[in-house]
Amino acid sequence: MKFENIGRNAFGLTRRVVVIGSGYVGLTLSACLATLGHHVHCTDRSLDRISRIVTGDLPIVEVGLPALVAEALGSGRLKFGFDNVAAVQDAEFVFLCLPTPEGADGRADLRFVLEVVEEIGSDLLPGAVVITKSTVPVGTSVLIEGALDRSDIHVVSNPEFLAEGSAVQDCLHPDRIVVGARHRSVGESVAQLYGADALEHSLITDLASAELVKYASNAYLATRLTFVNSIADLCEAVGADIRAVAAGMGADSRIGSAFLKPGPGWGGSCFPKDSIALVRTAEEWGCKLELVETAIHVNEQHIQRMVSRAVIALDGDVVNKRVALWGLTFKAGTDDLRQSPAVAIAQHLMDLGVSVHAYDPAVVGAPVPGIFTHTSAYEAVVDADLLIVATEWPEF
């Protein structure tokens, strides 16, 4: 990989950082960078969200994050605000942690990212580094460079690899740091934000490669989950134990044991939209990712098979039956209901006339219309005709 040579600077340990967006990624990143010693200013347009955060009422469930935010606020290294322009005027590094939702055609919607870039562009310090932390398609960095239209600003891609339920650990102790930049020294300066030894496990590459890494990783993991769920179906048909099969596969050093646990299907805020966005990106460039397309389709079928199993267990008579559902989130360790297989199963059952009563330790209130939520697992199963364990919370 060749980089344009702009010299090599001696980077200090403490930097002035702005994080725009206090969502899952932005809030975690802000707290972790402050913990690492940087002065961090996190902004968000939602005054209600900022007010909640500074009083300790975090809008997300994540292990270790409340204590980290409280400590960083108390130390003065972390502050929150809602004025993006004022925040960036003395910032050396500006992270964009903004929503990139799935558009109507499956492509990532970049309007939030580009709106903020237009807003802050003229107020950035000369030499400032603008970093896309959000998951964005190939070519986004070039679009940002064009929107900024400033040769004295560096645009960098630094995709996040935070898994919900272990995000703090993933941020403070990442297994790899990927940075895409036009100048190697700029890429190294971003990597060094994560600690003095961060360069040892960093991949400094070009912009397009960095942007593609996150999509490729998520699509691969989704495909792997689809595969093990398909093998679980075969195990059920032939009388084999998927736990033994998965253990045997995982013991192979070429395969490994991660993401070989069968379940009701994959979901969440990343895998579904990122897999579809990768397929759409490939189509734009004249490529076809048939394996990823199949994984998406098979995952949808697998969720429907879970519904069919429930119907069979109820002897086909489902109208007015009561089904208990343990778990609503798409995985344990989070309160995230986005694209949750558990919720999808519940909705399919309700469409068939089933009364669904659910309990999830991270879900408060009644966030899904039609589902009766309870305050304990045992309360949810009272008078139930069937129990479905849909999320792998340890207490279940």
Side-chain angles (χ1 to χ4, degrees):
M1 182 59 57
K2 293 183 178 180
F3 295 86
E4 299 170 33
N5 183 18
I6 62 169
R8 200 173 189 83
N9 298 318
F11 297 101
L13 294 178
T14 301
R15 312 306 294 260
R16 299 187 306 278
V17 179
V18 167
V19 177
I20 300 180
S22 67
Y24 199 95
V25 173
L27 184 55
T28 303
L29 177 67
S30 297
C32 289
L33 288 178
T35 298
L36 291 168
H38 303 294
H39 296 291
V40 182
H41 189 171
C42 179
T43 65
D44 197 291
R45 295 229 174 113
S46 172
L47 292 177
D48 177 66
R49 189 181 187 91
I50 292 298
S51 299
R52 289 178 58 189
I53 292 172
V54 297
T55 58
D57 181 18
L58 270 57
I60 60 174
V61 172
E62 184 58 46
V63 177
L65 188 57
L68 214 62
V69 171
E71 190 279 330
L73 281 169
S75 71
R77 292 190 303 273
L78 176 60
K79 63 180 180 179
F80 291 88
F82 59 89
D83 191 332
N84 294 335
V85 172
V88 303
Q89 288 176 354
D90 66 345
E92 300 170 88
F93 299 88
V94 178
F95 283 90
L96 304 179
C97 300
L98 299 159
T100 54
E102 181 182 335
D105 60 356
R107 293 172 174 82
D109 185 346
L110 297 175
R111 71 178 184 274
F112 298 111
V113 173
L114 296 177
E115 283 175 4
V116 168
V117 169
E118 293 281 359
E119 178 188 14
I120 66 174
S122 61
D123 289 276
L124 293 165
L125 285 174
V129 183
V130 175
I131 307 153
T132 55
K133 197 69 176 174
S134 307
T135 303
V136 296
V138 173
T140 301
S141 296
V142 175
L143 289 176
I144 292 174
E145 289 175 333
L148 289 171
D149 194 24
R150 287 184 57 177
S151 60
D152 61 341
I153 300 297
H154 305 290
V155 176
V156 168
S157 174
N158 174 220
E160 56 89 8
F161 299 99
L162 307 181
E164 295 188 36
S166 62
V168 170
Q169 177 73 13
D170 294 340
C171 190
L172 291 176
H173 306 285
D175 51 12
R176 84 283 205 196
I177 298 167
V178 177
V179 182
R182 294 197 183 280
H183 313 292
R184 186 171 192 90
S185 60
V186 175
E188 289 177 351
S189 73
V190 172
Q192 288 173 327
L193 291 172
Y194 297 96
D197 62 345
L199 283 177
E200 296 176 9
H201 49 277
S202 295
L203 170 64
I204 312 296
T205 184
D206 61 276
L207 291 168
S209 297
E211 289 170 337
L212 192 55
V213 167
K214 176 64 183 293
Y215 282 108
S217 297
N218 279 355
Y220 171 75
L221 293 176
T223 301
R224 187 172 167 109
L225 287 172
T226 297
F227 177 81
V228 76
N229 281 336
S230 298
I231 295 299
D233 289 337
L234 178 59
C235 286
E236 184 175 357
V238 303
D241 185 346
I242 182 57
R243 293 168 298 182
V245 173
M249 291 173 60
D252 189 324
S253 61
R254 298 169 300 174
I255 298 174
S257 59
F259 284 79
L260 284 183
K261 186 176 181 180
W266 45 264
S269 62
C270 294
F271 283 10
K273 77 176 183 68
D274 290 355
S275 297
I276 293 172
L278 182 63
V279 169
R280 296 292 175 263
T281 297
E283 289 174 348
E284 289 179 12
W285 291 90
C287 301
K288 192 168 179 62
L289 298 181
E290 294 184 58
L291 180 60
V292 180
E293 291 179 15
T294 300
I296 295 169
H297 176 64
V298 172
N299 184 61
E300 293 169 351
Q301 289 182 322
H302 186 71
I303 292 173
Q304 187 59 54
R305 275 196 292 274
M306 298 299 102
V307 177
S308 299
R309 285 176 175 140
V311 172
I312 292 171
L314 293 170
D315 296 324
D317 181 14
V318 298
V319 178
N320 297 323
K321 288 295 178 68
R322 178 167 174 152
V323 171
L325 190 70
W326 281 0
L328 283 170
T329 57
F330 84 95
K331 62 179 285 189
T334 179
D335 62 344
D336 199 341
L337 298 173
R338 288 175 289 181
Q339 297 292 311
S340 170
V343 173
I345 290 168
Q347 290 172 330
H348 283 306
L349 288 173
M350 289 189 295
D351 289 342
L352 296 174
V354 173
S355 175
V356 177
H357 292 252
Y359 167 74
D360 191 295
V363 176
V364 179
V368 182
I371 298 179
F372 298 95
T373 54
H374 297 270
T375 57
S376 76
Y378 295 106
E379 185 180 285
V381 300
V382 173
D383 295 328
D385 298 290
L386 177 69
L387 168 64
I388 299 174
V389 182
T391 309
E392 73 280 18
W393 287 100
E395 67 182 82
F396 299 154

